[in-house]
Amino acid sequence: MRYHNFTIKNFRGIKETNIDLNPENGSNIYSFVGLNESGKTTLLEAIHSFSPDVDNKTALYSSSSFDDKNSLIPRNMISNFTGKSIVQSLIEIEQEDVDALCSYMKSSHSVEIDRESIKRKFTVSREISYISSQHAETTNLWHLTIKGKSKGKRSFSNLLGSDLTSALNFLRLRLPVIAYYPTFVFDFPSRIYLSGKDGDKTNEFYKRVFQDILDTNGEGLQIDEHIIKRVRRDDLPSNPIEFIARLLGGGSNVKEQIDAVMLKASLTVSRAVFGKWNEIFHEKISNKEILIDWKPEVNPETNEKNVYIQFLIRDGVDRYQIPDRSLGFRWFFCFLLFTQFRASRRERGGTIFLFDEPASNLHSRAQEQLLGSFPAIARGRNSLIYSTHSHYMINPYWLEKTYIIENKAISYDSDISEDFKPNSITEIVAIPYRRFVGENPDKTTYFQPILDKIDYRPSMMEFSDNIVILEGKSDFYILSYFMSILRVKDLNLFPSSGANDVHPLISLFLGWGKRFKVLLDADDAGEKAKDRLIDEFALSKNSVSTISELLNDPSVKKIEDLLEDGDKKIIADHFSVSGRISKKHVLRFFSEALASGNKFSFSDDMKGRVEKILSSLKGEDVSASLPTSKGQRRKREPRGT
């Protein structure tokens, strides 16, 4: 089963908004982008409330704000609200879910299910009712009809009563759970008991994380079978002192067996944590490792034999507990522990990971690099939704799945005293980025609306060069895809919104002292734009090119002309199109390929021509003529690379 969308009504500051989780557009990664107080956290909490990972919630943060239903009342109606707070989702049930339901109902309830009666898409609503601002009741409504028949019945009829309840409860357990990770750094425990703390929810959470680590190892190791049962073997003494002495003193092979389990787990965590750390921070750490130490313990009242573990960092000859390390490392360690290993968990419905301002404790480059680990988390049945106001945490390949979050009650351009008028009504909305760009036609690049929305200003120390200004999104997605395939680096592509809209970008980059080139289509609009740009900005002729000029091939007028018949067939087959593919198909295909990281076998001719384009764009710097006085221009010396 999977979620197709979430519709949220009357949830704190949200009057009504919709989040679409479109599975047909590449990756399963979604971004909520907005400034502070825009409502990003409220949206994440609303989604989380639909099907929360209870153990995760209990272990990692206070649940009081979620359990207090009265705290969800719309802010502007808190004095007297009679109505419903609703979080609703369109859900798709898959064939294996139907098969599992039929098998369960037949074996447990002797009911045969009519498979054809089950709609493959239906809505489920979680509704919280209020009377005079007081919580009245909470209901979960499944808009789904299931037909079945008991033994001896000839015809199918709608399931009712306990049979219907059992069927819906079975399906509910197959829904993807929603795991929410707030902003703050988690308090990692100094001890995790593998036995003897069954009632401690926080301990149970971390115990499950340790089992995830063992599962990732892939050797079928189990806490109960390979640790607990060995400690509780009948041939070990019952006296606590003799038990500890025999277990740890070499009088049995149990210690050696459990040590081997811990060694495998330690290696698994060390590779994951320090491998990713090296990748992100470009450090080669050779003298550090994660150690998972274990110790037996005997309950003095019951004589029960238990085991607890400790996570330690070995740094040379020294050992440290996780809480003793830096704030950034603790966040990074917990992030990997809760996601990289959790993503390997074989849960039937998968997991939606919700992150509120992830990596806020890491520096800018680390934030950028950390994005590279997200696809590994959002694989298979898993999805990932994260909020941010940092431009370092925005991947341009995922903009088609990005939402701009706005709080209409706040104006960031107004005086502070005006921002908090007592009569202002909080209204949080989520706007798909594609629609947001369409509603801002004055913006000159596809990226500019999002940069403006997070109030981005370049630092005085920023100086990215080798910029290529493109006409639009198609050029950006296709060239970016082949840059990743051909491993071309050191080019920064900027998509504009047409040949006639690149002027502001050129003015901007000239003012910033950037090196750039412009690539245009070889149609009439592109040719005219080229001559106009060279004249108006006194650019050198080799800084503004058409695609035909770079390839020395007049038949290639635009980026889509690079596709051979075999290349077009790959795209047509991907979308099950029998006739000609459109420009929209090409744009969507390469957008999906970039977002998901999928590779395709395009023709050597196409790859060769794209490589020639990219090589030409990298080969020379822009040379511009800038005016020194009215009516006079001087030639600027080209800068070296």
Side-chain angles (χ1 to χ4, degrees):
M1 298 174 73
R2 65 174 314 279
Y3 302 114
H4 272 261
N5 65 20
F6 288 98
T7 300
I8 305 160
K9 301 178 182 178
N10 295 327
F11 188 99
R12 291 184 180 150
I14 303 171
K15 183 178 180 181
E16 181 173 356
T17 198
N18 183 75
I19 303 296
D20 183 31
L21 306 181
N22 182 4
E24 300 175 352
N25 193 18
S27 73
N28 294 324
I29 303 172
Y30 306 84
S31 312
F32 290 172
V33 178
L35 290 173
N36 291 332
E37 303 298 325
S38 61
K40 303 186 298 294
T41 299
T42 300
L43 272 166
L44 293 176
E45 290 177 349
I47 294 172
H48 172 256
S49 71
F50 186 83
S51 179
D53 183 346
V54 178
D55 292 339
N56 182 83
K57 181 180 73 171
T58 304
L60 298 182
Y61 51 90
S62 171
S63 60
S64 58
S65 62
F66 299 97
D67 295 336
D68 181 8
K69 302 296 191 299
N70 291 327
S71 70
L72 307 182
I73 294 173
R75 299 295 87 191
N76 61 304
M77 293 185 281
I78 196 168
S79 60
N80 186 22
F81 177 61
T82 298
K84 296 179 178 181
S85 175
I86 300 173
V87 180
Q88 178 178 285
S89 180
L90 176 65
I91 291 171
E92 179 180 0
I93 186 170
E94 297 171 311
Q95 185 60 48
E96 62 184 85
D97 300 308
V98 176
D99 293 341
L101 175 64
C102 293
S103 177
Y104 166 75
M105 292 301 294
K106 188 170 184 178
S107 61
S108 299
H109 297 268
S110 299
V111 173
E112 181 182 351
I113 298 297
D114 178 11
R115 296 171 180 268
E116 300 302 319
S117 70
I118 302 176
K119 293 190 299 183
R120 293 308 170 99
K121 291 183 181 180
F122 56 90
T123 58
V124 175
S125 300
R126 184 176 186 270
E127 302 183 358
I128 304 174
S129 300
Y130 299 90
I131 299 176
S132 298
S133 295
Q134 287 297 313
H135 173 234
E137 64 174 343
T138 301
T139 55
N140 292 291
L141 303 178
W142 288 62
H143 302 275
L144 174 66
T145 298
I146 303 175
K147 292 185 177 182
K149 62 180 180 180
S150 304
K151 282 187 178 180
K153 299 289 185 179
R154 293 188 175 182
S155 59
F156 292 103
S157 60
N158 292 345
L159 291 186
L160 300 171
S162 61
D163 286 341
L164 179 60
T165 300
S166 296
L168 294 182
N169 282 338
F170 179 83
L171 292 177
R172 180 179 59 81
L173 294 175
R174 297 183 71 87
L175 282 173
V177 297
I178 303 176
Y180 177 50
Y181 300 89
T183 307
F184 56 80
V185 177
F186 315 111
D187 293 326
F188 196 82
S190 58
R191 295 183 179 184
I192 301 171
Y193 280 83
L194 303 184
S195 62
K197 292 275 188 178
D198 295 338
D200 188 325
K201 293 293 185 182
T202 299
N203 188 82
E204 285 298 309
F205 171 82
Y206 284 100
K207 177 181 173 181
R208 184 75 184 272
V209 170
F210 180 65
Q211 183 60 59
D212 291 338
I213 295 170
L214 297 180
D215 290 342
T216 304
N217 181 264
E219 296 187 15
L221 296 172
Q222 298 292 318
I223 292 174
D224 288 339
E225 182 69 24
H226 299 102
I227 300 175
I228 306 304
K229 285 185 178 180
R230 286 171 173 169
V231 170
R232 293 177 175 174
R233 271 174 33 178
D234 293 336
D235 60 337
L236 291 174
S238 58
N239 180 277
I241 297 177
E242 294 178 2
F243 164 72
I244 298 294
R246 176 83 174 274
L247 185 65
L248 302 182
S252 74
N253 62 350
V254 172
K255 182 180 184 300
E256 183 180 353
Q257 293 170 342
I258 299 179
D259 281 346
V261 173
M262 296 301 166
L263 178 60
K264 292 179 183 295
S266 299
L267 290 173
T268 300
V269 178
S270 293
R271 287 168 183 163
V273 173
F274 290 118
K276 188 61 68 174
W277 183 274
N278 293 345
E279 178 183 327
I280 291 175
F281 297 99
H282 300 284
E283 298 178 12
K284 292 188 176 180
I285 299 176
S286 58
N287 62 338
K288 294 182 181 180
E289 63 177 329
I290 305 294
L291 300 177
I292 303 178
D293 196 12
W294 71 280
K295 288 184 172 59
E297 189 175 85
V298 180
N299 188 318
E301 298 179 359
T302 64
N303 258 10
E304 183 182 54
K305 301 167 184 175
N306 297 310
V307 177
Y308 67 84
I309 59 174
Q310 294 178 304
F311 282 73
L312 305 169
I313 300 175
R314 185 189 65 79
D315 189 349
V317 296
D318 298 317
R319 294 189 179 193
Y320 302 92
Q321 294 260 5
I322 299 298
D324 296 333
R325 306 309 292 173
S326 68
L327 189 68
F329 181 84
R330 278 152 48 202
W331 183 91
F332 182 80
F333 176 80
C334 290
F335 170 80
L336 290 179
L337 208 62
F338 299 159
T339 58
Q340 299 289 99
F341 299 112
R342 171 66 181 266
S344 302
R345 190 179 294 180
R346 295 177 176 83
E347 292 179 318
R348 289 172 294 187
T351 302
I352 294 184
F353 294 92
L354 304 181
F355 293 102
D356 195 5
E357 299 284 357
S360 58
N361 295 304
L362 302 180
H363 62 74
S364 57
R365 179 169 179 80
Q367 290 181 31
E368 280 186 322
Q369 296 295 324
L370 192 66
L371 286 177
S373 66
F374 283 4
I377 300 168
R379 65 176 184 263
R381 295 178 178 273
N382 299 330
S383 301
L384 188 152
I385 303 174
Y386 72 99
S387 69
T388 187
H389 64 259
S390 168
H391 62 284
Y392 296 107
M393 290 295 293
I394 298 172
N395 188 328
Y397 303 157
W398 302 338
L399 285 179
E400 299 298 319
K401 291 192 171 186
T402 293
Y403 285 84
I404 300 297
I405 312 302
E406 286 188 338
N407 184 348
K408 294 185 176 181
I410 296 179
S411 172
Y412 290 93
D413 297 324
S414 64
D415 184 77
I416 293 178
S417 62
E418 295 178 357
D419 287 346
F420 300 96
K421 293 179 180 179
N423 294 326
S424 63
I425 299 175
T426 299
E427 185 177 350
I428 299 167
V429 294
I431 307 170
Y433 186 67
R434 183 184 298 173
R435 195 181 95 204
F436 186 76
V437 172
E439 293 172 353
N440 292 269
D442 58 320
K443 306 303 183 184
T444 57
T445 79
Y446 191 57
F447 299 159
Q448 189 178 344
I450 203 167
L451 295 176
D452 289 349
K453 196 61 195 172
I454 59 177
D455 201 22
Y456 169 71
R457 297 292 183 272
S459 161
M460 293 178 66
M461 299 182 70
E462 288 184 56
F463 210 77
S464 297
D465 276 322
N466 297 329
I467 294 167
V468 179
I469 302 172
L470 306 171
E471 278 201 26
K473 291 189 293 181
S474 293
D475 309 79
F476 171 75
Y477 285 129
I478 293 175
L479 292 180
S480 295
Y481 172 82
F482 281 101
M483 281 179 63
S484 66
I485 295 295
L486 300 170
R487 299 182 179 179
V488 175
K489 299 181 180 179
D490 302 324
L491 277 181
N492 297 300
L493 307 182
F494 271 75
S496 183
S497 53
N500 296 318
D501 294 320
V502 300
H503 297 66
L505 270 178
I506 293 176
S507 299
L508 186 67
F509 292 140
L510 282 175
W512 284 353
K514 305 294 186 182
R515 292 193 289 262
F516 66 88
K517 288 188 175 183
V518 182
L519 179 62
L520 302 170
D521 288 346
D523 54 13
D524 290 341
E527 295 286 358
K528 292 178 181 178
K530 175 190 172 184
D531 294 337
R532 189 165 57 250
L533 293 175
I534 291 174
D535 180 60
E536 290 182 11
F537 292 100
L539 301 176
S540 66
K541 291 186 178 180
N542 63 2
S543 66
V544 184
S545 306
T546 65
I547 192 169
S548 293
E549 290 173 333
L550 293 187
L551 292 173
N552 195 25
D553 185 352
S555 67
V556 180
K557 300 290 186 182
K558 52 187 182 297
I559 197 79
E560 292 85 1
D561 293 340
L562 295 173
L563 294 165
E564 301 287 340
D565 290 342
D567 304 321
K568 295 176 183 177
K569 187 176 186 306
I570 291 174
I571 299 175
D573 291 345
H574 181 76
F575 294 113
S576 301
V577 175
S578 57
R580 293 179 59 186
I581 59 173
S582 65
K583 183 175 180 177
K584 184 176 180 180
H585 285 125
V586 175
L587 170 63
R588 182 176 161 190
F589 177 88
F590 284 99
S591 171
E592 288 184 16
L594 272 172
S596 63
N598 292 334
K599 311 298 182 187
F600 296 88
S601 299
F602 287 102
S603 66
D604 291 338
D605 285 345
M606 182 178 184
K607 287 189 288 188
R609 286 187 288 180
V610 174
E611 187 172 18
K612 184 176 181 180
I613 292 172
L614 295 173
S615 297
S616 298
L617 293 173
K618 287 185 65 176
E620 297 179 35
D621 294 329
V622 65
S623 179
S625 299
L626 298 178
T628 56
S629 63
K630 187 175 181 179
Q632 183 182 4
R633 297 180 184 272
R634 64 176 175 82
K635 188 77 171 181
R636 182 202 287 175
E637 293 297 326
R639 285 169 294 200
T641 55

